[in-house]
Amino acid sequence: MAFAPMGPEASFFEVLDQHRASLLALLKRGGREPAGSGTRLASRFEDSVGLHMVSHCTTRKIKSDSLKSVKNFALILKILSMIYKLVQSNTYATKRDLYYTDSQLFGNQTVVDSIINDISCMLKVPRRCLHILSTSKGLIAGNLGYIEEDGTKVNCSCTTAVAVPSNIQGIRNLITNGKFLLIVEKDATFQRLLDDNFCNKLSPCIMVTGKGVPDLNTRLLVKKLWDTFHIPIFTLVDADPHGIEIMCIYKYGSMSMSFEAHNLTVPAIRWLGLLPSDIKRLNIPKDSLIPLTKRDQMKLDSILKRPYVTYQPFWRKEIEIMADSKMKAEIQALTFLSSDYLSRVYLPNKLKFGGWI
């Protein structure tokens, strides 16, 4: 499998190559950044892992002879029996498949999702070991090839996106010449970059989007790409609390999936844009900005209190800039400067000169 790079001269990637060298040196030292750790509820933060569950966390008992929990107990047994059959027959099903086996019994999809997470946590195994797959919503494009579990050869291209596989554990023979991986928060931005031929212009590279809050498979794919290639990974998100939250999920994980943090988080991820400080630096007009809502302000306060922000002073500074200005901005605000400013100027300059934190 061969790729034909069409991107900039090798000198363009000097700072990126230096960044990758520092990441590899960090891995040799045990993967730890110069930070510490903190504790919050049932999850502990470690800079080399992210948020992961502590062994002495509070547990909840569900009894078959209790009126309060008898239904939940029955539903857990029902799903456990279905998992047993899947494992015995070496077949797989999606969470949606399980729900539709008896939709009246379960009531709604979130009940099934919650129970599957509880079972995975209780047994201390990843969900895929239960033979339960998630439906992928993410997309991938760029300089990447791999073979799926059924033997299908996939060649990602720089012009058309490919759906993230539903069984990340099953893909093999991954190959890339990519210099970096760019995680794009929103599908609309991802598609615009494809239309602007960004992947070819900055070839070789890889782009991924989870179309907002990433599903499990998109997070697993990003983790697999990091573990396989150890290339720099950057996020491109809106300069708003929601975008920062999504970036944190990729980098540090979430409380709800902290029991599987070792398989999902990539603490080496860096914040490329849109930075709140970029708004002033680029003179983006105020009428292109959006006032923070009360919910936004509460989200920012929550993020600032998280243990990992304590060890990210540059992140804290950017978040405080947003909080002080009481304004947020979408990536689309850059179109004020020119319709292709994002792909033609903003991202190339950030990547060439190391404009990440």
Side-chain angles (χ1 to χ4, degrees), residues 42-330:
S43 298
R44 182 177 66 214
F45 165 69
E46 287 188 10
D47 50 286
S48 59
V49 179
L51 289 170
H52 65 103
M53 191 174 70
V54 296
S55 58
H56 55 276
C57 61
T58 303
T59 57
R60 176 169 53 97
K61 288 185 178 181
I62 299 175
K63 300 180 180 179
S64 61
D65 58 354
S66 169
L67 288 175
K68 289 184 178 179
S69 59
V70 64
K71 182 179 179 181
N72 202 21
F73 184 87
L75 292 177
I76 291 173
L77 286 183
K78 171 73 172 176
I79 292 180
L80 277 171
S81 69
M82 296 165 75
I83 291 171
Y84 177 77
K85 290 175 183 177
L86 289 171
V87 174
Q88 284 290 94
S89 61
N90 195 29
T91 55
Y92 291 82
T94 66
K95 295 184 295 182
R96 200 71 177 156
D97 293 333
L98 267 59
Y99 167 68
Y100 277 116
T101 59
D102 200 331
S103 58
Q104 287 189 330
L105 174 66
F106 294 121
N108 60 69
Q109 182 69 54
T110 56
V111 172
V112 175
D113 296 352
S114 178
I115 290 174
I116 290 170
N117 283 343
D118 286 345
I119 292 172
S120 183
C121 183
M122 178 177 66
L123 298 179
K124 297 181 181 178
V125 296
R127 188 190 302 167
R128 57 194 173 278
C129 291
L130 305 177
H131 283 231
I132 296 173
L133 304 175
S134 298
T135 303
S136 296
K137 66 170 183 171
L139 298 172
I140 186 165
N143 190 286
L144 179 68
Y146 56 86
I147 299 176
E148 292 192 338
E149 188 178 27
D150 62 1
T152 302
K153 292 183 178 180
V154 177
N155 276 323
C156 301
S157 77
C158 292
T159 54
T160 306
V162 173
V164 169
S166 59
N167 187 0
I168 301 301
Q169 188 183 31
I171 65 174
R172 62 187 190 278
N173 293 11
L174 285 83
I175 183 171
T176 185
N177 298 316
K179 290 286 189 177
F180 65 92
L181 166 62
L182 180 65
I183 299 171
V184 183
E185 175 192 352
K186 297 190 297 191
D187 184 41
T189 306
F190 181 87
Q191 298 297 338
R192 179 57 196 262
L193 290 173
L194 286 181
D195 292 342
D196 287 350
N197 206 22
F198 174 80
C199 275
N200 269 327
K201 290 175 181 174
L202 267 72
S203 177
C205 67
I206 305 170
M207 285 201 314
V208 170
T209 181
K211 297 183 179 180
V213 178
D215 59 284
L216 183 64
N217 288 326
T218 302
R219 293 176 63 190
L220 285 168
L221 177 64
V222 170
K223 172 68 171 176
K224 191 176 187 77
L225 292 174
W226 166 249
D227 287 344
T228 305
F229 302 115
H230 294 124
I231 58 175
I233 303 178
F234 304 106
T235 56
L236 177 64
V237 299
D238 287 336
D240 66 14
H242 187 67
I244 295 172
E245 180 73 88
I246 287 171
M247 175 175 59
C248 290
I249 291 172
Y250 281 109
K251 184 176 174 74
Y252 291 125
S254 60
M255 296 286 286
S256 61
M257 296 294 290
S258 58
F259 61 90
E260 207 177 335
H262 289 269
N263 300 312
L264 293 173
T265 61
V266 185
I269 287 172
R270 297 294 184 263
W271 187 0
L272 188 66
L274 179 66
L275 301 180
S277 59
D278 290 335
I279 297 170
K280 184 177 181 180
R281 180 176 63 84
L282 298 173
N283 294 316
I284 296 174
K286 195 167 184 178
D287 57 9
S288 296
L289 308 181
I290 306 167
L292 291 176
T293 64
K294 284 189 176 181
R295 179 175 289 185
D296 288 333
Q297 291 172 342
M298 289 173 63
K299 172 65 73 176
L300 280 184
D301 290 341
S302 170
I303 293 172
L304 283 169
K305 292 175 183 175
R306 294 178 188 177
Y308 45 77
V309 175
T310 303
Y311 305 104
Q312 292 286 349
F314 294 113
W315 279 33
R316 173 175 285 276
K317 184 177 178 181
E318 293 291 336
I319 295 170
E320 288 174 346
I321 289 173
M322 187 190 303
D324 292 342
S325 71
K326 294 182 169 54
M327 303 296 282
K328 59 185 179 180
E330 296 183 336

